[in-house]
Amino acid sequence: YAGRISTKLLPLGLQLIVHDVLKRGGSLRVLIPSRLAYGVTGYGAGSSTVANNKIAGNQCLDYYIHAIDKQDVYDDLVLTNYFKANNITDYTKTASGLYYKIITPGTGVPIDDNSTVTITYSASLLTGQVFDQYNTVDGSGTPLEFPSLISGVQEAMRNYASTGTVMSIYMPSRLAYKNTTQTAAGGTLPPFSCMKFDFKIVSTNP
């Protein structure tokens, strides 16, 4: 399972198949001659004997492709594969596809659509890239109006959090920034990015 890929990054033979033949929901096996792959120069750096690090020149390629038709299926595959690869088993999945873990239960005011929440937080892609964070030494946090938060964070706060809650969530791209590219302090977020959001709710108002 490759995830979301851009055709321009693929070898020419695979670009042609993806563009001209592959349909939504379809599956293909593709045998690509070296002249439509990476030619005499190959691809990558390092020794060709090291797996996934170098493709030697004059190599034919064998691909299997499955085009996923639905965004929720794509998101779920990304997250479940990530959990499996990293041995993550202690998150609860909601009906929307959000995964959450309450580290410290809250004991204060519940959160609703009219709340302003003051939080400390860290937001990262599944690659580990932290693209946004606010963690002060004194733990005072930053105030954010509830309607300005992305859907996955809203769902977690509205249903499972209150003042004092410390929570970790993984959200599918459809509950984050969907098919848009975002620019943040920590770098660019590609479209269809699933992400992790860790936060502590310092206070709520009202």
Side-chain angles (χ1 to χ4, degrees):
Y1 176 69
R4 182 180 183 274
I5 52 177
S6 172
T7 55
K8 67 182 180 181
L9 300 178
L10 302 175
L12 178 59
L14 197 55
Q15 289 184 45
L16 296 172
I17 290 295
V18 169
H19 185 272
D20 296 336
V21 180
L22 187 62
K23 306 296 183 183
R24 290 179 180 268
S27 299
L28 294 173
R29 184 181 181 187
V30 187
L31 304 178
I32 304 174
S34 64
R35 67 183 182 275
L36 295 178
Y38 297 109
V40 297
T41 57
Y43 178 81
S47 171
S48 61
T49 62
V50 179
N52 300 321
N53 202 35
K54 169 72 175 179
I55 298 174
N58 297 317
Q59 297 296 307
C60 299
L61 304 177
D62 185 350
Y63 273 88
Y64 173 80
I65 312 170
H66 175 63
I68 296 171
D69 189 34
K70 297 181 179 179
Q71 187 61 38
D72 56 346
V73 175
Y74 168 84
D75 286 338
D76 288 341
L77 277 171
V78 170
L79 289 169
T80 55
N81 286 350
Y82 177 84
F83 292 154
K84 185 181 298 184
N86 293 277
N87 196 30
I88 296 171
T89 59
D90 53 350
Y91 283 73
T92 301
K93 183 180 180 181
T94 72
S96 71
L98 180 78
Y99 289 82
Y100 74 93
K101 177 172 69 173
I102 297 175
I103 299 169
T104 303
T107 56
V109 179
I111 298 165
D112 61 34
D113 292 352
N114 298 315
S115 297
T116 295
V117 291
T118 299
I119 65 174
T120 60
Y121 67 91
S122 177
S124 60
L125 300 178
L126 300 189
T127 60
Q129 173 191 342
V130 177
F131 62 85
D132 192 15
Q133 60 183 332
Y134 193 95
N135 297 298
T136 55
V137 174
D138 62 3
S140 58
T142 183
L144 299 170
E145 293 184 359
F146 187 81
S148 69
L149 301 172
I150 56 178
S151 297
V153 177
Q154 287 191 24
E155 178 184 338
M157 287 187 179
R158 184 188 296 111
N159 295 314
Y160 310 108
S162 61
T163 304
T165 297
V166 179
M167 179 181 285
S168 177
I169 62 175
Y170 286 94
M171 69 187 83
S173 68
R174 63 186 181 275
L175 296 180
Y177 296 107
K178 302 178 182 178
N179 63 345
T180 63
T181 300
Q182 297 290 318
T183 302
T188 300
L189 284 63
F192 302 106
S193 291
C194 299
M195 58 188 60
K196 183 182 183 186
F197 200 93
D198 299 306
F199 61 88
K200 177 181 179 179
I201 300 175
V202 179
S203 64
T204 64
N205 182 33

